[in-house]
Amino acid sequence: MREHTHGCAGLLLAFVGAVTAVLTWAPKARVSVHGGFEGLHRDLSVLYVDLPLIAAGGALLPTAVWLLALRVLRRPWLALLPAVAVLALGVWSLLSWWTPYRPPEIVY
């Protein structure tokens, strides 16, 4: 029964991580999807390249840290602290580092 609870907690952490990463990423990617002024800079590659990578990173990174901390600490709620810290660090780095490509404006 204990392993079943740990597995459910890991799946919940992966889901929360993926949703948090995608919701953090979405406002920055909106410009590429809508195209900005008059749709001139539409780049839909953010949907089929960046979106899966962001979701996978948000799901896998906190879960891997949680599993590693669970193996070392042997207490699931204590192992949740490093996993949440890594998720927060990942969200911060996503907000401060990732920027979708924007081609230069052409002035006539």
Side-chain angles (χ1 to χ4, degrees):
M1 189 68 157
R2 189 173 181 173
E3 290 82 17
H4 176 64
T5 307
H6 291 176
C8 288
L11 286 175
L12 181 64
L13 181 64
F15 177 75
V16 167
V19 168
T20 303
V22 168
L23 289 178
T24 302
W25 166 84
K28 284 189 153 191
R30 181 179 58 219
V31 173
S32 294
V33 174
H34 290 289
F37 179 69
E38 293 183 354
L40 293 176
H41 301 295
R42 181 171 283 184
D43 181 20
L44 296 180
S45 69
V46 296
L47 296 178
Y48 57 84
V49 174
D50 295 344
L51 176 63
L53 290 174
I54 297 292
L60 295 177
L61 190 61
T63 307
V65 169
W66 181 73
L67 287 173
L68 185 64
L70 183 64
R71 182 170 292 265
V72 171
L73 301 173
R74 302 203 190 286
R75 293 192 176 135
W77 301 113
L78 190 58
L80 189 63
L81 293 175
V84 170
V86 163
L87 180 61
L89 184 65
V91 166
W92 172 77
S93 65
L94 183 65
L95 286 175
S96 63
W97 178 72
W98 185 82
T99 305
Y101 173 72
R102 293 185 189 177
E105 293 286 336
I106 299 174
V107 179
Y108 293 101

